Amino acid sequence: GESVGLHLPTLSVQEGDNSIINCAYSNSASDYFIWYKQESGKGPQFIIDIRSNMDKRQGQRVTVLLNKTVKHLSLQIAATQPGDSAVYFCAETYTGNQFYFGTGTSLTVIP
Amino acid sequence: DTEVTQTPKHLVMGMTNKKSLKCEQHMGHRAMYWYKQKAKKPPELMFVYSYEKLSINESVPSRFSPECPNSSLLNLHLHALQPEDSALYLCASSSLFGDQPQHFGDGTRLSIL
């Protein structure tokens, strides 16, 4: 029979293409946001962060966009590589040490 | 290699056993955390320690007992666990000054028989 319950959203992209991963956060008081990458058998690894007084921040091949009006966060990965295949989580906090994670998105890069 | 070290990597225990998970960091972080992660789900916050004192307990059952012996070590004592407690248990640490990301260990994969 068919399984019931929440499924991890998935995204498949061709190697070299750009990827966009989205996250809707829940608390309008949240003022600090982080994107993590989690590979199979590993703990979450920090990618990039952004504070609520910014709407865009760039790192190496990654950009985070924050839209506080609609409580939306996105992660853009340029020139996606096979090593980018992983589960990506956003995390939010308004206390500075109480972080809550979004559902996550599984990214698969097709060589 | 991760800067937060968790041991053991895998643990299988019966429902009547007592065991402990260990976490160590040497980054000088004064906040340490325990998370529980089920397969294909996000990490769920369990406990937060600030300056070696328990500051947040997210209504975790008493069969999980955290301990922070010093600023580098964090333990999670387990007793009378249930099969639904099988999960990946993640430890993290962070600075308490300003907005700072958490650094995670690779977790302990716990299976309850």
Side-chain angles (χ1 to χ4, degrees), chain A residues 67-103:
Chain A
N67 184 331
K68 295 182 288 294
T69 302
V70 295
K71 293 190 287 186
H72 184 268
L73 201 63
S74 68
L75 177 70
Q76 300 177 359
I77 305 173
T80 314
Q81 303 168 359
D84 295 326
S85 294
V87 178
Y88 290 81
F89 292 103
C90 65
E92 61 178 301
T93 183
Y94 63 93
T95 65
N97 63 356
Q98 205 165 351
F99 286 85
Y100 296 99
F101 282 69
T103 308

Side-chain angles (χ1 to χ4, degrees), chain B residues 58-112:
Chain B
E58 292 280 356
S59 303
V60 179
S62 59
R63 58 186 184 269
F64 295 91
S65 176
E67 179 197 21
C68 191
N70 60 55
S71 60
S72 300
L73 295 174
L74 186 66
N75 298 322
L76 186 63
H77 303 298
L78 314 173
H79 174 54
L81 295 194
Q82 303 297 308
E84 61 266 26
D85 296 323
S86 297
L88 180 69
Y89 288 84
L90 293 162
C91 173
S93 70
S94 72
S95 169
L96 278 171
F97 297 103
D99 293 326
Q100 296 291 333
Q102 298 174 321
H103 297 251
F104 282 84
D106 287 334
T108 294
R109 177 75 59 189
L110 177 64
S111 298
I112 307 300

Side-chain angles (χ1 to χ4, degrees), chain B residues 1-7 21-34 49-53 67-75 90-97 101-106:
Chain B
D1 287 340
T2 181
E3 297 166 306
V4 177
T5 304
Q6 292 188 242
T7 55
L21 308 185
K22 297 187 182 301
C23 175
E24 188 169 3
Q25 58 89 13
H26 293 289
M27 293 177 283
H29 291 164
R30 303 305 296 273
M32 296 187 77
Y33 312 78
W34 281 115
Y49 273 82
S50 303
Y51 296 107
E52 296 87 69
K53 291 191 184 341
E67 179 197 21
C68 191
N70 60 55
S71 60
S72 300
L73 295 174
L74 186 66
N75 298 322
L90 293 162
C91 173
S93 70
S94 72
S95 169
L96 278 171
F97 297 103
Q102 298 174 321
H103 297 251
F104 282 84
D106 287 334

Side-chain angles (χ1 to χ4, degrees), chain A residues 45-56:
Chain A
Q45 177 187 1
F46 170 80
I47 300 173
I48 192 168
D49 58 1
I50 189 167
R51 293 169 178 75
S52 59
N53 60 353
M54 304 170 71
D55 52 22
K56 180 179 179 178

